[in-house]
Every structure is written in structure tokens, then in C-alpha cells.
Amino acid sequence: MRQLSIYGSGHLTKSLITGLRQIFPDKSIKVYNRTADKVLELQTYNPRVNYVANYNDLCSDSSFVFLIIPTSGIVALETDFVSSLLKSDSVIVSCANSVTIDKLNELFPKTKIVRLLPNINWQIKQGTTIFQSNSTVSTTDLTELIDILTRITKLIEAKSDQEFDMLGKLTSCGPGLFTKIVEQLLTSFDISDDIQKQAVYYTIASTMNYLIDSDKSVNKIISEVANKGGLTESAIIAAEKVIPDCFDFISISMNEKLLERRQKTK
Ligand SMILES: NC(=O)c1ccc[n+]([C@@H]2O[C@H](COP(=O)([O-])OP(=O)(O)OC[C@H]3O[C@@H](n4cnc5c(N)ncnc54)[C@H](OP(=O)(O)O)[C@@H]3O)[C@@H](O)[C@H]2O)c1
């Protein structure tokens, strides 16, 4: 198995190494960060984290090198990093939200590149991750990476940049966005007691599990709950009046942010 290496020590790295500790407790993980102290903090989450003092050391052996830093940091990587990647036959795994495969090919010529958009739920082995790879990555490379990641996240291959952004913006930000939505739900329904909150969380989680496991359509499940003239029907009629505008607004504001970031990397 290739060496696992990570550039960056923020939230997403913390969630990745937490997930990796559960599936490979003995596997050493090289981590570089410009602020070295943050790498040492990561050892609380995974004692197999080893600090390297230079980012070129992330690929001294054949490695999967996860880049978990903002676009500005990826663009600033120097050419000797590309030489080290090529020499060790390593694979870049870029987790930056708005850097396309074409842009990565331009920044790291001839290099094996996988573009990955995960969410923090890989820390509980329930993440969702959108991915794409360039043509330099072999089937063997990709199979090895998929074999590792599939233990902590559901992998979905995007067929285009458009699909990557459309789906990835919701899946990568999902844990934050959906938590915010649930918070508003609790406020509007006047639920503040912890036990009552748990009742709502379990209702949401079990409903999503039912939706996934039963393979039933949304309308079929609604029809199992809503009776003509009843309470659920009144809730759904009210929701239909306000929810479309609310979610359209969120989607449009995220598209604007993606566009702004994309223009910065041109
Ligand atoms: N958080 C998520 O749920 C999530 C999901 C999908 C994708 N992502 C992507 O993952 C990347 C990191 O996100 P995060 O949430 O982990 O961020 P974060 O918690 O803010 O951590 C950012 C990390 O990047 C480093 N960094 C920042 N600017 C840098 C630069 N110019 N050069 C080199 N290193 C730099 C920071 O180093 P210092 O410690 O020295 O400041 C830190 O290690 C981003 O590209 C983000 O789009 C995040």
C-alpha cells in the first residue's frame, strides 16, 4: 500500500485522520503544515501522524498526497514538488473545492491527479465524496485509492466539472448547511430541551435511512404519512409556499461564491 501523506492541518484533515485511525490504526501518515504546531495537535486524533518539515518529504516514497489546503496554497507549490511527485510515482489527491482537473493538470504537468470533494463525515465512516481523476492515473492507482477511501466514505464519480460543482457544493458543505437548517427547525418549533432535540435528530436520521433503504419515492413516503385535510398535509402545503425560494436563494449564493473562487484561479 502506498504511503498516505497530507498537506494541511485544518478541519478536513482532522476528520480524515480520525476516519483513517479507525480503519488503519497502525498506518503511519505523513503530514506537513506551514504552522508546525497544528500537526502535533493532530496526534490527539491519530497518534500515527508524523510531522515532516518540508512538503517535498510528503512524496519521498510512492504516496497518495492529499492536498487539504485552500487554492492559494496549491497554486503556490513550487516546481520541485512536481519533480518529487513524478520521481516517486505519487498521486496528488486534491481536496480544494474549486480547482478543476484541467487547472490541476496545468499546475502539475504529467502528474497523476485525483480531484476529491469529501465532507467531514468520513470521521464517522459515513462521508460522501465526489471524485474525478486525470488520464495519467492508472486503473490500479485508482482502485487502490478507492479501496482505502470506500471504507470511510461513499464515493461518487463525477462525469463532468459541472456535475462535480452542482453535487459537490451540497455534499461537501452538507454537514454545516444541514445542521444550520435543523437549528432553524428547532427554533421555529420551539424545541430547546436536549431530549426533545434528540427526538427530532432521530426522526430526521431515521427518515433519511427509510428514504435510502426503502428505495421509495419522496411522494410515496409522504403519502404514507399525510392524510387528506390532516396535520402533515397542512405542513406540506405551508412548506411548498416558502421552501423553494429559501433553497433557491442558498443555491444561488453558493454558485456566486464558486464563480468568485474559480475566477481567482484563472
Ligand atoms: N472543511 C470541509 O468540510 C471541507 C470539505 C471539502 C473540501 N474542503 C477543502 O479543504 C481545504 C481545507 O479546508 P479546511 O476546512 O481544512 O480549512 P481550515 O480548517 O481553514 O485549514 C486550512 C489549512 O490550510 C492551510 N493553509 C491556509 N492557507 C494556506 C496557504 N496559502 N498555503 C499553505 N497552507 C495554507 C492552513 O495552514 P495554517 O494552519 O498554517 O493556517 C491549514 O492547515 C480547502 O481547500 C477546502 O475547500 C473542506
Side-chain angles (χ1 to χ4, degrees):
M1 181 174 162
R2 283 174 198 260
Q3 169 67 44
L4 298 180
S5 300
I6 305 173
Y7 184 161
S9 296
H11 294 107
L12 192 62
T13 297
K14 200 182 289 176
S15 58
L16 172 58
I17 59 160
T18 302
L20 290 174
R21 189 196 67 222
Q22 295 163 64
I23 55 166
F24 301 123
D26 300 322
K27 176 93 182 145
S28 138
I29 302 164
K30 288 186 191 173
V31 181
Y32 170 80
N33 194 47
R34 59 182 185 179
T35 313
D37 285 355
K38 286 205 192 156
V39 181
L40 302 179
E41 281 170 31
L42 291 178
Q43 288 169 342
T44 323
Y45 300 89
N46 188 326
R48 304 295 295 164
V49 162
N50 288 321
Y51 171 67
V52 294
N54 183 313
Y55 63 73
N56 286 321
D57 293 339
L58 294 173
C59 45
S60 48
D61 307 306
S62 180
S63 312
F64 287 117
V65 184
F66 290 78
L67 301 179
I68 313 189
I69 54 175
T71 309
S72 53
I74 293 182
V75 172
L77 285 164
E78 289 172 13
T79 47
D80 53 352
F81 181 60
V82 181
S83 311
S84 306
L85 287 162
L86 291 172
K87 204 168 140 202
S88 61
D89 186 36
S90 293
V91 181
I92 289 184
V93 185
S94 167
C95 298
N97 206 328
S98 45
V99 194
T100 61
I101 280 278
D102 284 348
K103 184 69 190 175
L104 291 163
N105 281 331
E106 194 186 308
L107 291 169
F108 308 107
K110 301 190 179 123
T111 310
K112 295 177 172 179
I113 299 168
V114 177
R115 185 183 175 206
L116 209 67
L117 199 51
N119 64 34
I120 58 161
N121 288 342
W122 53 9
Q123 68 192 320
I124 54 165
K125 301 197 290 175
Q126 291 179 31
T128 307
T129 298
I130 315 298
F131 76 97
Q132 279 176 315
S133 55
N134 74 357
S135 54
T136 317
V137 174
S138 69
T139 309
T140 314
D141 301 322
L142 199 57
T143 305
E144 188 184 349
L145 183 64
I146 288 174
D147 183 50
I148 296 166
L149 291 176
T150 208
R151 300 165 198 229
I152 53 172
T153 187
K154 183 171 178 55
L155 288 160
I156 295 157
E157 185 164 13
K159 290 168 205 74
S160 64
D161 287 340
Q162 195 268 342
E163 188 187 7
F164 202 101
D165 286 346
M166 181 267 297
L167 194 56
K169 72 175 194 270
L170 201 51
T171 56
S172 64
C173 302
L177 177 60
F178 298 141
T179 306
K180 181 67 200 166
I181 291 168
V182 172
E183 185 201 38
Q184 182 55 50
L185 193 71
L186 296 175
T187 305
S188 297
F189 280 75
D190 200 20
I191 289 169
S192 55
D193 176 273
D194 281 346
I195 293 172
Q196 294 172 354
K197 283 184 187 174
Q198 291 284 323
V200 176
Y201 300 158
Y202 277 103
T203 304
I204 294 170
S206 58
T207 305
M208 292 306 105
N209 286 336
Y210 185 42
L211 189 58
I212 294 166
D213 297 341
S214 70
D215 239 359
K216 290 181 180 173
S217 70
V218 168
N219 283 337
K220 174 77 187 109
I221 293 177
I222 291 174
S223 76
E224 289 176 17
V225 188
N227 296 315
K228 195 107 198 91
L231 194 58
T232 310
E233 191 188 66
S234 71
I236 287 169
I237 291 169
E240 280 170 346
K241 282 190 186 148
V242 287
I243 286 180
D245 283 347
C246 165
F247 286 135
D248 285 352
F249 183 69
I250 295 171
S251 175
I252 290 166
S253 62
M254 292 178 91
N255 285 342
E256 285 170 358
K257 178 54 93 180
L258 274 175
L259 193 65
E260 181 193 310
R261 283 190 178 168
R262 188 67 44 81
Q263 277 163 350
K264 274 191 198 155
T265 58
K266 268 190 179 159

